[in-house]
Amino acid sequence: MKSKSLSKKAILTLLIASMAALAACTGGNSATPTSTSSPASSSSVSAEASASSVTEPVTGGTITVAIEADLPALDWTSSGSFSTANVAYHIYEQLFALDKDLSVKPMLADRYELSEDQLTYAIKLRQGVKFHNGAEMKADDVIASIDRWTVVSRFGKLAAEKIESIDKVDDYSFTIRLNEVYMPLIRFFAGPQNALVIMPAKIAEAAGDTRFTDDSLVVGTGPYKLESWQRGQRITLTRFDDYVSREEDWGGLTGKKVAYADKISFDIVSDPQVRVNGLRSGQFDYVMAVPQDLYSLVQTFEGVQTPVNEMKKFLTVIPDKSEAPFNDVRLRQAVNYALDRDAIGLVTYGDPNFYKVDPSIFFPPQKELYSTANAEAYAFDPEKAKQLMAEAGYNNEPIRIIASTSYDDHYKSAQIVMQQLQEVGFNVELQTYEYTTLTEMITQPGEFDLFVIGFAPVFDLPLTLWLEPGYAGSENYTSEAMNTVLDAWNSTGNAEEQKKLLEETNKIVYEEIPIVKLINEVGLDAYSDKLHDLPQWMGIIFWNTWVNE
């Protein structure tokens, strides 16, 4: 009889084998109208130790950041990449934004009012806000930016279905009229992926409905502006001396922002050893993505902090629900019960500091969205898996799981998922591809039975990608229960009702298994004590921070 979990020897053997194979492979939160406060919740990033502020703020100097790879774009509206967002946070601003507790607050908006029928939003803008080109931000700019967002951003496209009209009232006021009640609208405006960023109307119109690559179009209202982008080498930002800040101490992407540093240099350094060596030598003030095998070394560096980001991504296995075998919910449930998440985390990330076993479809710091309802179904129960396979009449039909070799954790987790499915009796074969090839394949039902992918955080229930009709692996998957929850969610702004709906969503996920949640990846960065008062948040932000050269 096979054991219920992998032995330490088996885990070590698989880990070594997967690393060798990879080396050889060459292929492929809601705001309330006029509200300016919200209940406090835990910060999304915690630090093992916090660099104390022993001096008064100092203006000047350069903050040098080592990032893993070049950005796909600085057009934040067109890009859902957090690598784009980490730089764009400093250049652009939103009408509404997430504070330090991931709740929504106004940013470029001053306030808004919602009509009694909940169909009309009257939004008042802050006055005197300047763009990097010196022009004042006005309603025409905001309306043009929203228009572009609704055709470029995947989140904007969802909102566009609900927007009937946008009308200017005066230079600092406009209204949005909806065709039906849609309470997530303001939260959509505050989302930090494919973001609704405000740019001059002429630039929004020139940028059009596709991603722009012209650096001259990178004009926002943020505390820093783009100086240069040397592709593949460095992105340099300089302080925007005419920046107009809010005064509230909200943290996150809103509230008071002071640009103390003269410049921020985002240096593109793909080699993690070079990033770590640069931190030790003082070449870099902040390095992203410390790898597992170097993390314990970095912790020995004098004058270095290692903040923990609990909101990097979670890994999933997604079944093709359009055809046999996984159009049968019992076999999807069998996959869920066949997986030992602790073993998957150990093989994939090695160090428990780098992963978290968690049943929620949101992340623990997202207090307004987090639910572990029906967590008992997020369990390793191979006998239950075998029972469900027998009930479904599974008869050794071949199953193809596909994964990317471009991401080490995708590849490693797919290997152990394959092994664990084989142990309960599934006839599984793993095929690997470059990520770009994989993303094409998963749009074509019949090209896979299961695929492994990671999901970055989203900030409202309708933004959950795998709930969108037509998403890869969702073909022929309809859920009256889920649609009922989403309809109710869209029509309520009541926190208690939303909590119940989130619990119901998590229950439905573990009953219907549209995805199989694996584990959360924990991100680990490191920075020098030369940086003072560095905000601890889910992304990297360098305003209100100064550097002691």
Side-chain angles (χ1 to χ4, degrees):
M1 178 180 291
K2 293 178 181 176
S3 63
K4 287 192 174 183
S5 61
L6 290 176
S7 66
K8 290 183 179 179
K9 180 178 180 181
I11 291 172
L12 181 61
T13 300
L14 182 56
L15 180 59
I16 293 171
S18 65
M19 293 176 68
L22 182 64
C25 183
T26 58
N29 332 358
S30 65
T32 303
T34 69
S35 171
T36 58
S37 64
S38 66
S41 61
S42 300
S43 173
S44 60
V45 182
S46 61
E48 295 181 356
S50 178
S52 59
S53 300
V54 295
T55 62
E56 290 298 313
V58 174
T59 299
T62 298
I63 298 173
T64 305
V65 186
I67 61 178
E68 302 166 84
D70 208 346
L71 313 183
L74 268 174
D75 180 5
W76 191 10
T77 299
S78 76
S79 176
S81 165
F82 274 98
S83 60
T84 290
N86 280 326
V87 177
Y89 291 151
H90 302 81
I91 300 170
Y92 293 108
E93 292 178 316
Q94 302 161 272
L95 275 178
F96 300 87
L98 299 177
D99 69 7
K100 66 180 183 300
D101 299 318
L102 304 180
S103 295
V104 176
K105 295 287 195 302
M107 181 58 228
L108 294 176
D110 180 62
R111 62 187 183 274
Y112 79 98
E113 295 178 357
L114 182 58
S115 64
E116 188 174 347
D117 64 3
Q118 299 183 323
L119 292 175
T120 301
Y121 291 78
I123 299 177
K124 188 76 173 177
L125 301 174
R126 292 166 53 205
Q127 297 187 27
V129 174
K130 295 291 185 69
F131 285 112
H132 297 157
N133 63 6
E136 185 183 5
M137 178 197 72
K138 294 184 178 179
D140 288 333
D141 305 302
V142 175
I143 293 170
S145 298
I146 296 175
D147 286 343
R148 181 170 189 265
W149 177 72
T150 59
V151 296
V152 174
S153 164
R154 73 177 182 89
F155 305 133
K157 291 175 183 178
L158 292 175
E161 297 174 2
K162 314 297 181 182
I163 296 174
E164 183 174 301
S165 63
I166 304 176
D167 298 299
K168 177 180 175 181
V169 176
D170 57 41
D171 279 347
Y172 304 103
S173 305
F174 67 100
T175 61
I176 299 176
R177 178 73 179 174
L178 304 183
N179 52 40
E180 62 181 74
V181 175
Y182 197 63
M183 298 307 293
L185 182 66
I186 298 299
R187 295 192 295 268
F188 272 37
F189 285 172
Q193 295 171 289
N194 296 97
L196 170 54
V197 297
I198 306 306
M199 58 184 68
K202 289 184 179 179
I203 287 182
E205 292 159 3
D209 59 2
T210 58
R211 173 175 295 176
F212 63 74
T213 57
D214 183 347
D215 292 353
S216 68
L217 301 181
V218 182
V219 177
T221 61
Y224 289 89
K225 60 184 179 180
L226 179 66
E227 178 182 279
S228 62
W229 182 3
Q230 298 168 275
R231 267 63 171 181
Q233 300 179 52
R234 177 177 294 113
I235 302 166
T236 304
L237 310 183
T238 58
R239 181 173 54 242
F240 178 40
D241 291 328
D242 291 330
Y243 178 69
V244 180
S245 176
R246 296 194 72 102
E247 293 302 318
E248 300 90 346
D249 183 20
W250 287 337
L253 295 184
T254 186
K256 186 175 183 178
K257 301 177 184 178
V258 180
Y260 289 112
D262 291 335
K263 295 186 178 185
I264 305 173
S265 177
F266 293 91
D267 290 10
I268 299 152
V269 184
S270 60
D271 188 327
Q273 184 70 63
V274 174
R275 294 198 299 273
V276 167
N277 290 345
L279 178 67
R280 179 161 47 185
S281 70
Q283 178 184 2
F284 304 127
D285 303 306
Y286 193 106
V287 299
M288 296 194 68
V290 176
Q292 294 96 316
D293 59 342
L294 295 176
Y295 182 61
S296 59
L297 172 65
V298 171
Q299 287 186 305
T300 68
F301 293 174
E302 184 177 353
V304 167
Q305 307 299 324
T306 51
V308 175
N309 184 351
E310 295 183 5
M311 292 184 57
K312 189 168 184 181
K313 71 170 183 283
F314 63 73
L315 289 174
T316 64
V317 175
I318 299 187
D320 176 4
K321 297 169 282 291
S322 68
E323 60 184 14
F326 293 116
N327 58 354
D328 189 323
V329 68
R330 293 170 295 184
L331 290 180
R332 302 200 299 269
Q333 292 169 341
V335 171
N336 176 62
Y337 283 116
L339 301 181
D340 180 348
R341 271 76 171 190
D342 286 300
I344 292 170
L346 184 57
V347 169
T348 302
Y349 295 111
D351 187 330
N353 285 309
F354 283 82
Y355 69 90
K356 184 178 181 68
V357 176
D358 187 317
S360 180
I361 58 173
F362 290 97
F363 292 81
Q366 296 178 289
K367 301 298 184 183
E368 297 176 355
L369 297 169
Y370 186 75
S371 172
T372 58
N374 210 22
E376 62 274 11
Y378 181 74
F380 177 48
D381 190 343
E383 297 307 316
K384 178 72 170 177
K386 293 174 185 177
Q387 176 189 336
L388 287 162
M389 292 165 68
E391 291 176 4
Y394 177 72
N395 191 29
N396 204 43
E397 292 88 351
I399 290 170
R400 177 171 46 170
I401 181 171
I402 64 175
S404 170
T405 54
S406 303
Y407 293 93
D408 196 19
D409 54 350
H410 291 196
Y411 178 65
K412 287 180 180 178
S413 62
Q415 282 195 310
I416 191 168
V417 165
M418 175 186 68
Q419 178 174 326
Q420 291 180 348
L421 293 180
Q422 289 172 341
E423 288 185 350
V424 299
F426 281 111
N427 177 14
V428 187
E429 175 191 8
L430 171 62
Q431 297 177 356
T432 58
Y433 302 91
E434 294 282 355
Y435 188 68
T436 53
T437 302
L438 181 115
T439 56
E440 294 174 1
M441 292 182 66
I442 64 178
T443 64
Q444 305 170 40
E447 290 295 320
F448 64 93
D449 296 302
L450 301 165
F451 69 90
V452 173
I453 203 163
F455 284 105
V458 295
F459 299 89
D460 200 71
L461 186 57
L463 300 181
T464 304
L465 181 60
W466 45 266
L467 289 179
E468 290 185 19
Y471 179 71
S474 294
E475 290 79 3
N476 291 352
Y477 169 66
T478 58
S479 170
E480 291 185 11
M482 190 71 81
N483 289 339
T484 298
V485 168
L486 289 173
D487 289 343
W489 177 269
N490 291 341
S491 63
T492 183
N494 181 278
E496 286 302 313
E497 290 181 18
Q498 290 178 337
K499 182 178 179 180
K500 292 177 182 177
L501 291 169
L502 288 163
E503 291 175 353
E504 184 62 24
T505 300
N506 227 55
K507 289 179 182 178
I508 294 168
V509 166
Y510 284 100
E511 290 168 356
E512 301 185 357
I513 314 291
I515 66 169
V516 181
K517 168 78 183 287
L518 297 181
I519 50 179
N520 295 352
E521 179 185 6
V522 174
L524 294 163
D525 296 346
Y527 67 92
S528 167
D529 279 347
K530 290 196 308 180
L531 296 181
H532 294 273
D533 278 13
L534 183 70
Q536 299 304 313
W537 199 63
M538 68 165 200
I540 53 173
I541 49 180
F542 295 106
W543 52 81
N544 303 339
T545 296
W546 67 96
V547 59
N548 182 359
E549 298 283 7

